[in-house]
Amino acid sequence: MKFLIKIGDFFQNNSDLLSQIAIHFALLVVVMYIIDNAVVNIKQKIYDNSNNTSLLNLLLFMTKFIKVIVVILILGSFLQCRGYSLTSLITGLGITGLAVGLAAKEMLASVLGSISIMTDRVYKIGDYVSINDVEGIVETVNFRSTKIRTIANTLITIPNNITADTIVHNRSESEFFRLIETFDVEYDTSDEKIEEGLSILRDIAQNDEDIQKNYIARISALGENAIKLQLIANTTTNDWMKFLAIKDRLYKNVLRRFRENGLGFAFPSRTIYVRKDEN
């Protein structure tokens, strides 16, 4: 009986505190419910329109950020109702935030870089990209870094603040990849053989179903050690691995056909003339 009396006295003496807690807690629940429902609707629209993983990650980050801000605001409102100075609280949080911000400057820069990457849709998981001499397939995009799997099967991690401040080549966004390949033949190759070499390049391109038919075969330059025969052609794919297979097939066909037709590949060479002193 005494226990119940004590509980009754507690509620009577702290009615204002308890009512303020109830009001602010109810407000928190309502706001969180509204945020969660809005996020569900936005997420469904992303799934329906693009199923973009980067946008989903950005949505998750922004949801958490907004919820933290809501909690801070409601907590500040509650403390203000209890007689605490909200100005002093904000000042204290500002100083603390400044200290934390200075200590975590690089992390904050990476987070901002992540938001820039996701909002601009620079790349997504599965794209083949080139970033600062690093080429490979994007495996992971999070709020600190991007992980790229290279052709050598190494996994390279690049902070997103670096990615946001550099030029990114997203090869997967190309409609197709272009072949610009040069083959060096010896200078003593006859005019007829040079024409035959260009004809071989045209024939290979013409009979490859993965190469578009608007190709060009020409002499591109007279180099230091060789006559340069060049093939310029558009492929039919924007898949990097398939593009590499097309290049591999092209090289093998050129090697075989050139050798069969007596066309010699040039290599770096130097001719030295020795002058005889008549005296």
Side-chain angles (χ1 to χ4, degrees):
M1 192 67 180
K2 290 182 179 180
F3 177 72
L4 295 177
I5 293 174
K6 287 182 178 180
I7 292 177
D9 291 340
F10 173 79
F11 278 99
Q12 185 176 1
N13 296 331
N14 298 279
S15 57
D16 289 341
L17 173 63
L18 294 174
S19 62
Q20 290 171 4
I21 291 175
I23 291 170
H24 286 87
F25 181 76
L27 179 62
L28 178 63
V29 171
V30 170
V31 173
M32 291 299 178
Y33 176 80
I34 293 172
I35 292 173
D36 288 337
N37 274 275
V39 169
V40 169
N41 294 330
I42 296 172
K43 188 182 293 185
Q44 188 60 48
K45 288 183 179 179
I46 294 174
Y47 276 125
D48 293 340
N49 295 331
S50 64
N51 195 19
N52 191 305
T53 305
S54 297
L55 285 179
L56 292 174
N57 289 335
L58 178 60
L59 178 63
L60 178 62
F61 172 77
M62 294 304 297
T63 302
K64 291 181 178 179
F65 179 76
I66 291 172
K67 284 184 176 181
V68 170
I69 296 298
V70 168
V71 170
I72 292 175
L73 290 176
I74 292 178
L75 180 60
S77 174
F78 173 75
L79 293 175
Q80 183 77 18
C81 292
R82 298 306 300 168
Y84 294 95
S85 174
L86 193 58
T87 303
S88 301
L89 180 63
I90 293 174
T91 303
L93 288 174
I95 296 173
T96 304
L98 178 61
V100 173
L102 291 174
K105 182 176 65 174
E106 294 299 325
M107 181 178 293
L108 291 173
S110 294
V111 170
L112 293 175
S114 303
I115 295 174
S116 174
I117 292 169
M118 292 174 185
T119 53
D120 292 342
R121 300 185 182 183
V122 179
Y123 48 72
K124 61 182 181 296
I125 294 174
D127 284 355
Y128 190 93
V129 299
S130 174
I131 305 172
N132 282 354
D133 299 327
V134 176
E135 288 193 14
I137 298 173
V138 177
E139 281 200 355
T140 306
V141 183
N142 55 44
F143 286 103
R144 200 194 70 82
S145 62
T146 295
K147 293 183 179 180
I148 297 176
R149 180 74 64 179
T150 67
I151 296 299
N153 201 35
T154 57
L155 189 64
I156 297 179
T157 302
I158 303 177
N160 285 333
N161 61 313
I162 294 177
T163 303
D165 291 335
T166 192
I167 297 175
V168 178
H169 296 273
N170 189 338
R171 302 186 186 276
S172 296
E173 291 297 320
S174 304
E175 294 181 4
F176 52 80
F177 290 139
R178 173 169 292 180
L179 288 164
I180 304 178
E181 304 300 331
T182 302
F183 305 94
D184 294 350
V185 297
E186 298 169 339
Y187 261 111
D188 59 1
T189 304
S190 66
D191 294 347
E192 292 77 12
K193 284 293 181 183
I194 290 175
E195 287 299 329
E196 188 175 347
L198 293 174
S199 178
I200 289 172
L201 295 179
R202 295 188 189 102
D203 185 63
I204 291 173
Q206 180 66 33
N207 291 286
D208 194 319
E209 61 182 11
D210 292 321
I211 294 179
Q212 299 182 36
K213 305 314 171 189
N214 54 342
Y215 50 80
I216 298 174
R218 62 174 186 171
I219 297 176
S220 63
L222 300 178
E224 183 179 355
N225 302 302
I227 300 172
K228 296 182 178 294
L229 307 185
Q230 187 177 72
L231 175 66
I232 302 175
N234 298 326
T235 65
T236 59
T237 183
N238 65 350
D239 184 291
W240 182 249
M241 300 307 295
K242 188 174 182 180
F243 175 69
L244 293 180
I246 295 171
K247 288 181 67 174
D248 176 74
R249 186 167 64 245
L250 171 68
Y251 293 152
K252 289 176 180 176
N253 286 333
V254 170
L255 282 171
R256 178 176 56 82
R257 297 280 298 274
F258 273 33
R259 286 168 177 168
E260 288 175 353
N261 290 273
L263 282 157
F265 289 97
F267 53 88
S269 60
R270 179 171 295 176
T271 302
I272 299 176
Y273 296 93
V274 179
R275 181 177 179 180
K276 184 177 178 181
D277 191 350
E278 295 180 356
N279 297 326

